[in-house]
Amino acid sequence: MTDKIDGPTGGPFSAQDLEARTFAPLEFIVDGLIPIGLTVLAGAPKVGKSWLSLDIALSVARGTAVLDEGVHRCGQGAVLYLALEDSERRLQGRLKQLLGEGPAWPRNLFFETAWPRMDADGLERLDRWVGETEGARLIVIDVFQKFRSLGSQAGYQQDYRDLAKLLDLARRREIGIILVHHLRKSGGGDPFERVTGSAGFLGVPDTNMVLDKGRAGTRLLAQGRDIEEFVREVTFDPLALRWRLAQPRSIVKYPERARILDILLASAVPSSAGNIAEQTGQTVNAVSRMLGEMLAEGKIVKAGWGRYIGKPTDNLAAGNQNAQSDQNDQNAQNERRARSHLSGSGTSP
């Protein structure tokens, strides 16, 4: 973060002024994934977003890594975790499960299970905590709904005001703020479109992350102003109680299409756009458009009027072709034996 550039009169600055300006490298809370600023981490209830946010908080406090050991490392600093849906007993239990009898519990990871809403001194108290805490680096608010301004169901304007105030705090104090938030159960094919609330939740934060659980598994998706788009399959390690990167099967450029393909491959019969829309929460028109694109790209196969099947892999296709060839040979042999039997010139089959 740097000072604002001002022109000669303290007003607008020129492109030439901007050209001469040097900026410090962008600083990350989690390398390559969460930069300094405001981040929204959304997921469906019980999907495991609190485990992920607690892991991030713990990793920042200890200066270790999230998701893997080689790429997503965390710079060490003090963390304040507002666990607004938890009790002290539950937090202690989770940390015992995560840390066991191993490393000492960090002294720079702080918890609160109750906190004023942001329009009732909550925001000012966060600002004071940062100012009074040496090495303050990250604030996690789990969940945002219990912290945001009272009566915040007013739509885009209120969403924008609440999020913009937190964004300003994060940038001014040069820290990270993560808001744990919810997804709607249904909505558009793009998981980001299912984030609860108005478009403010996608437009204001520096980074948006979604923990999206589907029939084929769970993916972590991230988009932001200062990061490359991130889409990776993740798995929850039941022994370590941590989210890990799964072994990549492929890079999913269009997650909504990947969900459609998963449904087609899992179905025993051809599916229509309407069938798929019911399972994904997308509109029939959106599904029909994507089916047309996937058909043109050779990703799926048309199996009758308005019905589709997933295109099998090359190995599976080769196996099916061999099986079909064997079946054709068997049918021809049976036909020859039947003709011979009917003419009386051979033995009975």
Side-chain angles (χ1 to χ4, degrees):
M1 307 291 286
T2 61
D3 295 334
K4 180 182 176 182
I5 308 170
D6 287 325
T9 61
F13 55 89
S14 70
Q16 191 175 47
D17 295 330
L18 185 61
E19 180 187 18
R21 183 69 168 171
T22 58
F23 295 90
L26 181 66
E27 191 172 352
F28 279 82
I29 302 299
V30 179
D31 283 350
L33 190 60
I34 302 177
I36 282 178
L38 180 64
T39 296
V40 170
L41 169 59
K46 310 303 181 185
V47 74
K49 56 187 180 294
S50 289
W51 281 107
L52 178 57
S53 58
L54 182 58
D55 188 17
I56 293 172
L58 187 59
S59 298
V60 171
R62 298 170 61 200
T64 55
V66 177
L67 298 174
D68 60 16
E69 299 301 326
V71 179
H72 302 298
R73 300 196 64 83
C74 305
Q76 189 172 18
V79 181
L80 174 62
Y81 195 108
L82 304 187
L84 303 180
E85 291 189 322
D86 287 314
S87 64
E88 293 182 17
R89 180 188 298 275
R90 182 182 296 175
L91 286 171
Q92 184 191 64
R94 287 191 172 188
L95 286 175
K96 281 183 177 179
Q97 290 175 293
L98 284 167
L99 296 173
E101 301 299 327
W105 290 26
R107 298 176 61 88
N108 60 348
L109 174 55
F110 304 92
F111 292 95
E112 288 275 5
T113 58
W115 195 268
R117 288 187 178 270
M118 62 183 300
D119 58 346
D121 193 44
L123 189 66
E124 290 75 12
R125 284 186 60 180
L126 291 181
D127 197 7
R128 289 198 296 272
W129 178 83
V130 176
E132 296 168 359
T133 304
E134 183 179 358
R137 187 165 182 81
L138 176 65
I139 295 171
V140 180
I141 302 175
D142 184 8
V143 291
F144 179 53
Q145 190 63 29
K146 289 202 168 186
F147 173 77
R148 63 184 310 183
S149 299
L150 193 62
S152 291
Q153 289 73 30
Y156 177 80
Q157 294 295 334
Q158 186 64 57
D159 289 345
Y160 193 97
R161 283 193 292 267
D162 285 351
L163 294 168
K165 289 176 182 178
L166 288 162
L167 176 65
D168 176 70
L169 172 61
R171 290 182 175 180
R172 178 166 47 84
R173 288 294 194 174
E174 299 186 16
I175 62 168
I177 297 178
I178 297 176
L179 307 179
V180 181
H181 196 50
H182 294 302
L183 288 181
R184 292 188 294 271
K185 292 184 178 179
S186 61
D190 185 343
F192 291 101
E193 294 179 0
R194 305 205 318 273
V195 174
T196 303
S198 71
F201 277 92
L202 298 181
V204 177
D206 295 296
T207 308
N208 287 285
M209 301 172 60
V210 171
L211 194 59
D212 183 41
K213 185 175 183 180
R215 295 178 60 180
T218 303
R219 298 170 300 157
L220 181 64
L221 305 92
Q223 296 177 342
R225 300 183 179 98
D226 299 309
I227 65 170
E228 295 184 7
E229 185 173 353
F230 179 95
V231 181
R232 287 294 302 271
E233 294 181 5
V234 293
T235 58
F236 190 72
D237 185 335
L239 297 178
L241 297 175
R242 299 180 66 192
W243 286 101
R244 310 280 194 186
L245 292 181
Q247 293 298 322
R249 293 182 295 179
S250 62
I251 298 177
V252 182
K253 187 175 181 181
Y254 303 104
E256 63 274 16
R257 293 193 197 180
R259 179 174 294 181
I260 291 174
L261 185 58
D262 289 342
I263 290 172
L264 291 176
L265 291 174
S267 177
V269 296
S271 298
S272 68
N275 298 145
I276 297 169
E278 289 179 1
Q279 297 180 60
T280 64
Q282 301 163 273
T283 65
V284 175
N285 287 341
V287 172
S288 297
R289 174 178 54 79
M290 285 184 280
L291 286 170
E293 294 170 352
M294 295 167 71
L295 182 65
E297 295 171 4
K299 305 293 186 184
I300 60 174
V301 177
K302 199 166 187 178
W305 180 258
R307 295 186 176 274
Y308 303 85
I309 58 175
K311 188 174 182 180
T313 62
D314 293 340
N315 290 339
L316 181 58
N320 289 343
Q321 290 172 358
N322 292 337
Q324 185 63 50
S325 177
D326 293 343
Q327 185 63 50
N328 291 341
D329 291 343
Q330 183 64 50
N331 291 343
Q333 182 179 357
N334 290 343
E335 185 177 352
R336 288 195 299 271
R337 293 174 67 186
R339 284 200 302 268
S340 175
H341 174 69
L342 291 174
S343 65
S345 59
T347 58
S348 300

